[in-house]
Amino acid sequence: MHAPSCARNMPAYDCCAVFSLRFPLALAPGETLFSLCSRQHRLWGYGLSSRSTEIMFGGRRLGTQHDFPSGLDKFVVRTEGQLGAAAEIARDRTMLRFYRPFLAKAEIEYAIWAMRGLAVSHLKFRLGLLTSRFRANHPLKACPACMQTDLDEEGWVYWHLVHQFPGVWICPFHGAPLRTSQIKSTGVERFLWHLPAQAQLVDPCPAGDSTRSLALARLSKMTLALVGAERADGWLGADLVQSTLRARLRERGWLTFAGNARLQKVAADYLQHCLPLRLLDELAGLPATLDDAKVQIGRLIRPLRSGVHPIRLLVAINWLFNDANDFLALHKGTAGVDVNQISGENMPLEDEVTKDESHRLQLSALMKSGVSATAAAQEFGIDVSTAMAWAAAEGVQVRRRPKLLKPELRESLIRCLRRGMEKVDAAARHGISVETVTRLLHTEIGLHAAWKAARAARSQRLARAAWTKLLSAHPGVGVKMLRAMEPASYAWLYRNDRTWLTGHTPPRAVGMTAARQSPVRWDERDRSLSVEVEAAVERLAVFGRRLKLWQIYQAVPQLKPKLAVLHRMPLTQRVLERALGRRRVGSATDLLPSDASID
Ligand SMILES: [Zn+2]
């Protein structure tokens, strides 16, 4: 089993600090849970996805579904709820965010229940996704321009939730066509953590057709405007949408007096709308012939027997309405509502943030005027602890209940936290709950920032120490090998302390110097070991993935003890370096952790 080796040989306390190095990372704007976990896995640098999965979800097969992840309850316990409750994560950071507007309350509750638990295998079936003519595999999608911006601004590439929505094929931020990943959607490698990587992204359909591009842009914009609108769950339920579609058909004179469609005319128009769209795999269930179009129109306007796939509804809305506002003006219960705030560019999460922000300010002002946290919390319908955290964030000193923490205990706790002690350890040392520690962190002004800074400094110290130790233990070993031996420290330094890392990188080609004086026949050992390693690499290469160091020394057990003297074994070192992956061009990117695959 492979673990960050800087965690070895350290007292338990430090070990824990390295192990939970910035876990969990904060969610990037509009990021999915799958994306966050993939980044966490990348940061830890484990060779196997399952190792990170076990730490995050407490099981090797939990949580890795990119659309409807399982094991959320376990995840929330392990992250101490820092990313919110399981139901919140399920609603807003998974594909359920897309489906919610179309689903009844009971279906949404079932979906949340399934994701909180251990198995989501029947979820797609229950939601009717497997019985429709549309595919339910949700290919991972990314915008190349967003990837560049995210890398510049966040230091990471990641998956955006809105890009993953069915019906969205054009990036709302850049107007660029989205590309699909070949990983995950086929079911192969379904337990992997995976981030967007240029090498694995493909254009979903051939470029150059402006009619299709325009059609996709319209559909994407409308989908985001409707699905992204902050409205009650189920507001786009099939029955409601159907009656709005019928109202528009009636306006156009396309329904008979008895309420039947003037099928010939309507179907021809619908087919015309669908043809440029259906070239995409996702939309291949749309009609290809006039007869097919007649059948589908018939289904759309007759009373619905079972669930209709959201894509079918969105395409129909897109067909009959100019834009989201046009639809909303006729949609039952929403006529006359000002819908200017709804547009493809207005992401729901940002709206929530703005709303939270103004609540936060109002609540803080209230508490500043002397109202108690309990009363203020009641006023805003939130938890007392949330109210206290909000007030502290706005610089309002929160009145405390002294019986909860005695002054000496409180002082000692603050001292430990200022030094960056883990919450779990601080709680254990002071005989209190982790929750109490968290509350203090958020209610004592400046403490949370000091705690974070201390933890960052500690992580830096440990990562630098581990790297320095590695450098001195392996003189003459190249950076690629060192990185393979100490992936977690390397990843941390690369992300957070790059200047230092660049200054502490061995020169590229180093010859063997000290071997001749040694009584040990290093050259012979080197020759035979390199042959064995080479053979193992050949055997492993049939799996077709880039190899990790641990895989090689698992296959050649005698290699591991030799890693410490690799500088005496240039042949073996060369074989390993070749096997551990291609070298990029240019000195700056030589150090870049691979984004081609993270398995
Ligand atoms: Zn973009």
Side-chain angles (χ1 to χ4, degrees):
M1 193 57 64
H2 187 63
S5 40
C6 55
R8 283 184 231 123
N9 307 324
M10 285 182 185
Y13 173 71
D14 285 342
C15 205
C16 181
V18 175
F19 206 55
S20 61
L21 207 64
R22 297 173 65 197
F23 174 55
L25 289 166
L27 279 156
E31 187 176 27
T32 63
L33 176 69
F34 173 77
S35 175
L36 174 90
C37 294
S38 295
R39 288 199 292 128
Q40 189 68 57
H41 170 65
R42 169 79 54 89
L43 181 70
W44 278 333
Y46 286 117
L48 278 179
S49 273
S50 58
R51 187 74 191 94
S52 301
T53 311
E54 232 168 311
I55 297 173
M56 293 188 276
F57 290 89
R60 289 164 155 255
R61 295 288 184 256
L62 291 175
T64 49
Q65 303 85 348
H66 64 289
D67 44 11
F68 296 109
S70 60
L72 296 187
D73 275 352
K74 289 194 169 197
F75 177 81
V76 166
V77 169
R78 283 162 175 261
T79 51
E80 296 173 359
Q82 289 181 66
L83 298 176
E88 264 171 63
I89 297 174
R91 288 173 60 83
D92 294 330
R93 298 292 177 173
T94 74
M95 283 302 272
L96 185 58
R97 177 63 192 85
F98 170 83
Y99 287 98
R100 273 204 281 126
F102 302 95
L103 296 177
K105 191 165 173 255
E107 292 168 317
I108 295 171
E109 275 169 9
Y110 174 79
I112 294 173
W113 174 83
M115 284 191 268
R116 289 178 61 177
L118 306 183
V120 285
S121 48
H122 299 297
L123 181 53
K124 284 185 186 175
F125 179 77
R126 281 283 296 262
L127 297 182
L129 304 182
L130 297 181
T131 47
S132 76
R133 287 178 52 156
F134 296 97
R135 298 181 67 180
N137 58 349
H138 305 126
L140 281 162
K141 295 180 279 183
C143 157
C146 282
M147 286 165 68
Q148 191 53 54
T149 315
D150 294 341
L151 190 62
D152 294 342
E153 290 174 7
E154 307 285 332
W156 288 96
V157 285
Y158 65 92
W159 302 109
H160 289 255
L161 182 62
V162 292
H163 288 161
Q164 313 312 319
F165 289 173
V168 173
W169 287 95
I170 303 290
C171 172
F173 313 110
H174 298 96
L178 297 179
R179 309 185 81 204
T180 52
S181 171
Q182 296 165 292
I183 307 277
K184 297 293 279 190
S185 63
T186 56
V188 180
E189 298 162 324
R190 63 189 186 281
F191 300 118
L192 288 190
W193 295 114
H194 171 53
L195 287 173
Q198 289 289 5
Q200 280 156 348
L201 292 173
V202 292
D203 283 322
C205 52
D209 182 339
S210 61
T211 317
R212 190 184 56 231
S213 306
L214 225 60
L216 286 178
R218 269 195 79 227
L219 178 63
S220 303
K221 192 167 182 207
M222 176 172 274
T223 300
L224 283 170
L226 294 178
V227 174
E230 275 309 296
R231 287 168 181 275
D233 292 341
W235 77 280
L236 287 173
D239 289 340
L240 285 170
V241 172
Q242 189 189 42
S243 63
T244 314
L245 294 175
R246 287 184 63 93
R248 175 50 53 94
L249 287 171
R250 196 175 291 282
E251 273 180 12
R252 290 199 179 171
W254 284 356
L255 287 189
T256 64
F257 186 69
N260 294 319
R262 299 185 193 281
L263 215 49
Q264 191 68 21
K265 197 171 191 175
V266 177
D269 200 76
Y270 180 60
L271 180 64
Q272 217 46 43
H273 178 78
C274 293
L275 284 178
L277 295 172
R278 67 181 308 285
L279 292 171
L280 274 172
D281 267 6
E282 178 187 84
L283 303 173
L286 293 173
T289 64
L290 190 61
D291 285 344
D292 212 359
K294 284 179 184 171
V295 173
Q296 293 197 17
I297 288 290
R299 278 201 208 122
L300 262 177
I301 62 166
R302 275 197 299 272
L304 298 161
R305 272 178 302 180
S306 59
V308 183
H309 196 292
I311 276 288
R312 197 175 288 291
L313 299 176
L314 287 167
V315 170
I317 295 170
N318 193 219
W319 163 51
L320 291 174
F321 295 87
N322 297 327
D323 53 30
N325 285 342
D326 188 20
F327 171 77
L328 286 162
L330 210 56
H331 193 52
K332 194 182 166 195
T334 57
V337 171
D338 176 16
V339 290
N340 286 334
Q341 81 279 13
I342 300 172
S343 79
E345 287 77 29
N346 254 351
M347 292 306 115
L349 293 166
E350 284 167 19
D351 285 354
E352 276 173 13
V353 169
T354 321
K355 198 175 74 195
D356 268 6
E357 195 65 39
S358 93
H359 278 181
R360 187 185 296 234
L361 289 171
Q362 290 170 27
L363 177 129
S364 307
L366 200 64
M367 285 178 63
K368 215 172 191 170
S369 73
V371 174
S372 76
T374 315
Q378 232 159 29
E379 183 83 9
F380 284 81
I382 54 174
D383 282 352
V384 179
S385 57
T386 308
M388 289 168 84
W390 283 8
E394 295 302 326
V396 179
Q397 186 71 53
V398 180
R399 279 181 290 153
R400 274 173 217 88
R401 284 174 292 174
K403 62 177 180 191
L404 207 62
L405 277 181
K406 293 203 176 88
E408 322 81 80
L409 189 71
R410 197 166 164 277
E411 265 164 40
S412 156
L413 184 57
I414 289 176
R415 248 192 331 271
C416 288
L417 290 172
R418 279 195 187 283
R419 286 205 303 268
M421 184 181 276
E422 288 289 318
K423 283 195 270 184
V424 193
D425 297 328
R429 179 181 287 198
H430 296 88
I432 53 177
S433 70
V434 174
E435 224 173 19
T436 308
V437 178
T438 307
R439 200 177 313 128
L440 180 67
L441 266 177
H442 289 285
T443 50
E444 177 71 18
I445 294 168
L447 181 58
H448 190 250
W451 178 69
K452 270 175 74 177
R455 279 160 54 88
R458 168 191 294 277
S459 300
Q460 183 186 50
R461 206 167 55 244
L462 292 172
R464 281 185 178 189
W467 190 253
T468 311
K469 193 172 155 199
L470 197 67
L471 276 176
S472 67
H474 301 276
V477 171
V479 67
K480 194 180 286 178
M481 280 305 308
L482 296 175
R483 193 182 117 191
M485 293 183 208
E486 196 64 68
S489 304
Y490 180 85
W492 194 93
L493 291 168
Y494 182 82
R495 298 291 176 208
N496 304 291
D497 202 3
R498 205 172 304 175
T499 316
W500 184 90
L501 180 65
T502 311
H504 292 78
T505 300
R508 200 173 295 174
V510 184
M512 189 174 67
T513 48
R516 294 236 171 76
Q517 288 84 42
S518 165
V520 182
R521 294 300 306 266
W522 286 108
D523 50 347
E524 277 175 21
R525 290 189 179 189
D526 187 21
R527 212 169 300 124
S528 73
L529 186 62
S530 69
V531 170
E532 283 180 68
V533 171
E534 182 104 63
V537 166
E538 285 293 311
R539 283 200 308 279
L540 291 168
V542 297
F543 297 114
R545 302 189 55 77
R546 206 145 65 80
L547 290 177
K548 296 287 191 296
L549 183 59
W550 67 266
Q551 289 174 305
I552 304 175
Y553 65 63
Q554 199 173 51
V556 188
Q558 62 274 36
L559 169 64
K560 201 173 177 193
K562 295 288 181 301
L563 290 177
V565 286
L566 213 52
H567 58 291
R568 296 181 184 276
M569 311 185 97
L571 293 176
T572 307
Q573 193 178 325
R574 214 167 304 141
V575 173
L576 283 174
E577 284 187 349
R578 221 172 28 234
L580 290 173
R582 62 189 186 283
R583 186 180 287 276
R584 290 170 182 234
V585 182
S587 59
T589 50
D590 272 1
L591 291 172
L592 195 68
S594 157
D595 61 4
S597 79
I598 48 162
D599 51 335

